[in-house]
Amino acid sequence: MTEDTLQKLEQRVADMINLIEEMGRENEILRTDQQMLRQEFKSLQEKNKIARGRVEQIVARLKSLEP
């Protein structure tokens, strides 16, 4: 193996290590984003449930006012 070939191989290995580290950081960011979105989704589901209950109450009151 020539010196040039060895240097190219070392560079490729270093590039791969950098890529793996970058992907690890991106993966952590994506996991954090995913967790935040899950929490937001749960919150929105709860708000939707509350709003639905209020609308049902209004509809029931309106129906009770019908002659």
Side-chain angles (χ1 to χ4, degrees):
M1 193 176 274
T2 67
E3 184 66 28
D4 186 49
T5 304
L6 187 57
Q7 286 177 345
K8 286 180 182 179
L9 181 59
E10 287 175 348
Q11 184 59 49
R12 289 183 69 192
V13 169
D15 291 344
M16 290 177 72
I17 290 170
N18 290 335
L19 181 59
I20 290 168
E21 290 172 348
E22 181 181 342
M23 290 174 74
R25 288 188 297 271
E26 289 177 2
N27 192 27
E28 188 60 35
I29 290 168
L30 290 172
R31 286 178 193 266
T32 301
D33 287 349
Q34 182 182 38
Q35 182 63 29
M36 288 176 17
L37 289 171
R38 283 182 178 162
Q39 290 172 352
E40 183 179 352
F41 180 71
K42 286 181 183 180
S43 173
L44 290 172
Q45 281 182 315
E46 185 61 31
K47 288 179 182 180
N48 190 22
K49 182 179 176 182
I50 292 167
R52 185 180 300 120
R54 289 180 182 166
V55 168
E56 289 172 359
Q57 288 175 351
I58 292 169
V59 169
R61 276 192 264 156
L62 289 172
K63 284 184 179 181
S64 71
L65 295 175
E66 291 179 350

